[in-house]
Amino acid sequence: MKNNLLVIFILITHILHTQTPAAIQNGLVREQSSGKKPVTDAQIIFSDAIPTTSDQSGKFRLVFSNKKAGDLIFYQEISKKGYELVNEKELQILKMGTANNLDKDIIMAKAGTLDAAKKEYYDISDKALLASFNKEKNTLQAQLKSLQMTQQVFIDKFTKLSEQYERQQKSLDALADVFARINFDDVSAEYRKSFALFEAGKIDEALKILESTDLLNRTRNRLKEKKRIKKAETAIAHQKAENETAIQEDLQGLQLQAQLYVLTFQIEKAEQLYDQVVRLDSTDLNILQEVADFYGDQHLYKKALHFYPKIIQHPKVQQGQVAIAYGHLADLYTATGNLPNAISAHEQSIRIYENLSSDENNYVTIKNNLAITYSKLGGIHIRLINIDKSLLYNEKAIQIVKKLNKDYPQDVRFKSALAISYSNLGLTYLAANQLDKCLFVFEKSNQLAIEIYENYPQNIDFKNSLAVTYQYLGYTNTLLGKLDLALTFFKRYNQLAEEIHDAYPRNVGFKASLSASYSKLGETYTKLGNLDLALNFFKHYNLSSKELSESYPQNVDFKNALAISYGILGEAHERSNDLPQALIAFERYNQLLEELYVAYPKSADFKDGLATSYEKLGSVYATLGDLNKALTFFEERSRLAKELYENYPQNLGFKESLAISYANIGKTYNSLGKWIKALDFLSKDCELTNELCAADPKNINYKNSLAISCYNLGVINRDNLDNKTNALAYFKKAEMLWGELVREAPQYSQFQQYLGMVKQALER
């Protein structure tokens, strides 16, 4: 018995000595901007640690196995009912602290606090930006009026100012989110004073405080102190912590100073400030990350592309930080159109994330980042028409996020990510023309978005995401011919878009989304035959497009959207037989496209749009009986269409456009009694349309166009050239094609009508 006890004792002793000792990390949960008020009973779960909760003092203790100082640690879930996590970004990648303390406190806020603050700071920032824009604009106008600058200099400077305004306006949402997450318990006194002045709209006074503080010199001195403390053998831990906190406070102040410079169009000052910051210590990893992010956000791509590789190669950088830096690099390459480099950078991220998120390590944040990277790669491959690769990466993203959502059903991040992943997969199926699969995943995305919105009805981002899912469902059902169902979804999309726009009336993205919803409703009512309602929505679409274009006159996309809205409005008037109004709209459409094409003569899209505008004008003049004027416009359209087709012979859309132009010229010559010329152009139309059908035999639009072409040739041979043999052959070909379309697409009633029309022609 004694021998047995001795053996057990030796065995236990051996186990205790051979096991890696547990590593402890103490932390604190505090409420945002509350005077460091503790948050009790917060649930805290980290990978490789025993789950714990915060006590009455907000303190908690994490016990890790197989961890040592400097190792990466990842949180899985931080939650408390009625609260939301504020500093999620700071907590995504943490290291084991040397003094048994987490590097960062956990900051939480009562549910709804962030959304309310974000809306408030968006409005404040928007007003400040607009006031600064108007101030700069008035200064330029005064200088022009007093002859201090030439008209060309004024145009150049105003164009640059408008572009800066537009870019900053689009960035306001992200800036408002940054401001909403500020914890005023952890910023300097100067920061609090400056921010209070910013909230009151006194930006110049806020900047005076920050500039007079001379944060650059103060940061320089504290960085020197950091190096001195590091070298001192007797350095005390709290000295290091205090100095590090002071440096972070100064960097926050410099960040605010740069943000206020940007809001007041002093972009050069903001850039110079960050240039000086990085010169303080180009080896400091935090500084490198701060300046690289700023340069990227401000579209200073060359500088940003210079600094992210420095982060990647930094001797103290962690692998998780390297993966994030590669992700930023990929985003920069995508923004600058360098898609091969973007793919390469994303693939580097993936290799690191896959290694960090191995089966043995359940690192939630890393797995979520991996899923996001897969989705981004899928999006790039859609742009490159690599459908198979896009499907592969989007399906990989879904598998990861689906498991995260299953494991953490209360974490809205993963449910939202799953909804977005389904939408991305749906867009890929849409590009592959697999409409049934597309509809299936869009429905899944919509259902998840509904659940998220019902739980967070005040969150504007979730509301906008829900609106987008209704747009996708409407579009897919339109393609499937289910117009009543499509209308239901587009109505819901429009309703949400209006509510979102009312909440953020100056948000460019939300206004553009509302404008698009009017267009979709108009298109659907047109297909359903309700022309009055369609015209009403097209008027709304045109008005909102005009407001966007006038607000951002240098924005080419908005100008093009305005041109398109006039084209659609003209078509609506034409269908309602209001030809004078149709002519006015088409002339404006043509004028805007001419301006765009003159400004961008190498743009195939603008050239094609201009060609279409000539066709619309020709169509109205033909209906008005002015055939010679109609012919002039049709010939101009044909000239442009031919140039496009010759430059892009593989583009089926341009080939179709040329075929349509030949058909219009042929029909006009027929009406003018010039039947030989008419036959020549109608035959060219038939030849091209036949080639289109051969290239894409499943395309019902091409098959319908070929049937119409055959029918037109049948009519001219029968009625004008007295060639009944040719007429019969063309009518029979048209009958066969429309018969196939009736069977293949029974949801389109016009094919049945066309079939009846050609049968009557055969009976004559």
Side-chain angles (χ1 to χ4, degrees), residues 257-274:
Q257 190 173 335
Q259 288 163 341
L260 296 184
Y261 280 144
V262 169
L263 281 176
T264 52
F265 294 95
Q266 301 179 73
I267 311 296
E268 292 81 5
K269 278 191 175 183
E271 183 181 353
Q272 290 167 7
L273 186 65
Y274 272 96

Side-chain angles (χ1 to χ4, degrees), residues 89-141:
K89 184 178 178 181
E90 293 180 347
L91 301 175
Q92 282 190 351
I93 296 182
L94 293 173
K95 289 186 291 185
M96 292 285 289
T98 54
N100 290 345
N101 291 320
L102 283 177
D103 290 342
K104 301 287 182 182
D105 289 346
I106 294 171
I107 309 300
M108 304 190 80
K110 289 184 173 65
T113 300
L114 291 179
D115 286 332
K118 187 175 175 180
K119 186 178 187 307
E120 178 186 355
Y121 291 133
Y122 186 98
D123 291 341
I124 291 170
S125 302
D126 183 44
K127 288 175 183 175
L129 185 67
L130 180 61
S132 298
F133 171 74
N134 287 330
K135 180 181 177 182
E136 294 295 316
K137 181 180 71 173
N138 292 337
T139 299
L140 288 176
Q141 290 174 342

Side-chain angles (χ1 to χ4, degrees), residues 277-445:
V277 167
V278 78
R279 280 197 289 270
L280 294 180
D281 188 351
S282 61
T283 66
D284 187 282
L285 185 58
N286 289 333
I287 288 177
L288 288 175
Q289 290 171 323
E290 179 74 25
V291 297
D293 289 348
F294 170 80
Y295 292 141
D297 291 342
Q298 295 305 315
H299 296 193
L300 299 166
Y301 296 131
K302 187 175 180 180
K303 286 187 174 181
L305 287 168
H306 172 73
F307 281 102
Y308 280 117
K310 288 184 175 295
I311 294 169
I312 290 167
Q313 295 161 10
H314 197 279
K316 293 185 178 179
V317 72
Q318 299 288 329
Q319 283 300 293
Q321 294 168 309
V322 172
I324 290 171
Y326 271 122
H328 286 309
L329 264 181
D331 292 339
L332 290 171
Y333 286 132
T334 301
T336 53
N338 191 339
L339 299 187
N341 276 12
I343 289 173
S344 177
H346 277 315
E347 287 173 345
Q348 292 278 20
S349 279
I350 284 172
R351 277 191 281 273
I352 296 169
Y353 285 140
E354 285 180 337
N355 183 53
L356 289 172
S357 63
S358 59
D359 291 337
E360 303 83 51
N361 300 313
N362 187 24
Y363 294 156
V364 173
T365 301
I366 294 299
K367 287 185 176 180
N368 189 42
N369 287 352
L370 176 59
I372 292 169
T373 309
Y374 280 140
S375 290
K376 288 183 176 181
L377 258 180
I380 291 174
H381 281 294
I382 284 184
R383 291 175 62 178
L384 294 171
I385 322 298
N386 296 331
I387 303 301
D388 290 342
K389 284 190 175 181
S390 180
L391 284 172
L392 172 68
Y393 286 120
N394 279 309
E395 285 168 353
K396 281 187 173 185
I398 281 181
Q399 291 309 311
I400 294 172
V401 182
K402 193 184 289 184
K403 188 174 188 311
L404 288 172
N405 184 51
K406 181 182 177 182
D407 292 343
Y408 305 96
Q410 303 305 315
D411 196 323
V412 71
R413 289 179 301 162
F414 304 135
K415 185 172 280 190
S416 176
L418 184 56
I420 293 169
S421 295
Y422 277 128
S423 287
N424 290 338
L425 183 60
L427 291 172
T428 309
Y429 282 132
L430 192 63
N433 202 32
Q434 299 182 39
L435 297 184
D436 289 339
K437 288 184 177 180
C438 172
L439 183 62
F440 177 73
V441 292
F442 279 153
E443 285 172 343
K444 281 182 169 289
S445 177

Side-chain angles (χ1 to χ4, degrees), residues 30-68:
R30 297 186 276 128
E31 188 172 329
Q32 181 191 26
S33 305
S34 64
K36 300 190 176 181
K37 178 182 175 183
V39 176
T40 63
D41 298 322
Q43 306 295 314
I44 300 152
I45 304 174
F46 273 69
S47 298
D48 301 324
I50 300 170
T52 186
T53 57
S54 58
D55 62 18
Q56 294 301 310
S57 302
K59 296 178 180 178
F60 62 90
R61 186 169 180 263
L62 290 169
V63 181
F64 289 91
S65 59
N66 302 317
K67 291 290 181 184
K68 61 182 183 300

Side-chain angles (χ1 to χ4, degrees), residues 672-684:
L672 287 167
K674 298 179 180 180
W675 298 311
I676 300 301
K677 282 192 172 184
L679 181 65
D680 178 39
F681 280 100
L682 290 175
S683 297
K684 288 179 180 178

Side-chain angles (χ1 to χ4, degrees), residues 131-324:
S132 298
F133 171 74
N134 287 330
K135 180 181 177 182
E136 294 295 316
K137 181 180 71 173
N138 292 337
T139 299
L140 288 176
Q141 290 174 342
Q143 290 175 342
L144 176 66
K145 191 175 181 180
S146 62
L147 303 178
Q148 294 180 41
M149 66 172 65
T150 65
Q151 286 191 357
Q152 187 57 52
V153 171
F154 171 82
I155 290 170
D156 292 342
K157 289 193 173 184
F158 182 72
T159 298
K160 184 179 179 181
L161 177 68
S162 298
E163 288 172 350
Q164 288 176 342
Y165 174 62
E166 180 189 338
R167 184 165 64 246
Q168 299 312 322
Q169 224 280 340
K170 288 180 180 178
S171 302
L172 284 183
D173 196 58
L175 180 62
D177 186 69
V178 170
F179 287 158
R181 294 179 186 276
I182 293 169
N183 181 27
F184 289 99
D185 294 337
D186 296 337
V187 297
S188 65
E190 296 91 348
Y191 191 107
R192 284 193 291 272
K193 289 179 185 177
S194 302
F195 201 86
L197 289 168
F198 159 69
E199 290 178 306
K202 300 176 181 179
I203 294 183
D204 290 340
E205 293 179 36
L207 280 169
K208 282 180 183 177
I209 290 177
L210 293 168
E211 289 168 344
S212 64
T213 305
D214 197 3
L215 292 168
L216 276 169
N217 272 326
R218 197 163 79 180
T219 305
R220 181 184 292 107
N221 293 332
R222 283 170 172 168
L223 285 168
K224 288 179 181 177
E225 178 65 8
K226 180 179 179 179
K227 291 179 180 178
R228 186 196 67 77
I229 291 173
K230 186 176 179 181
K231 290 179 181 178
E233 293 182 5
T234 58
I236 303 171
H238 75 81
Q239 288 181 316
K240 294 181 180 178
E242 287 176 0
N243 183 257
E244 193 62 41
T245 298
I247 291 171
Q248 292 306 312
E249 286 180 357
D250 285 349
L251 288 176
Q252 281 181 314
L254 288 166
Q255 183 187 54
L256 177 61
Q257 190 173 335
Q259 288 163 341
L260 296 184
Y261 280 144
V262 169
L263 281 176
T264 52
F265 294 95
Q266 301 179 73
I267 311 296
E268 292 81 5
K269 278 191 175 183
E271 183 181 353
Q272 290 167 7
L273 186 65
Y274 272 96
D275 290 345
Q276 291 173 292
V277 167
V278 78
R279 280 197 289 270
L280 294 180
D281 188 351
S282 61
T283 66
D284 187 282
L285 185 58
N286 289 333
I287 288 177
L288 288 175
Q289 290 171 323
E290 179 74 25
V291 297
D293 289 348
F294 170 80
Y295 292 141
D297 291 342
Q298 295 305 315
H299 296 193
L300 299 166
Y301 296 131
K302 187 175 180 180
K303 286 187 174 181
L305 287 168
H306 172 73
F307 281 102
Y308 280 117
K310 288 184 175 295
I311 294 169
I312 290 167
Q313 295 161 10
H314 197 279
K316 293 185 178 179
V317 72
Q318 299 288 329
Q319 283 300 293
Q321 294 168 309
V322 172
I324 290 171

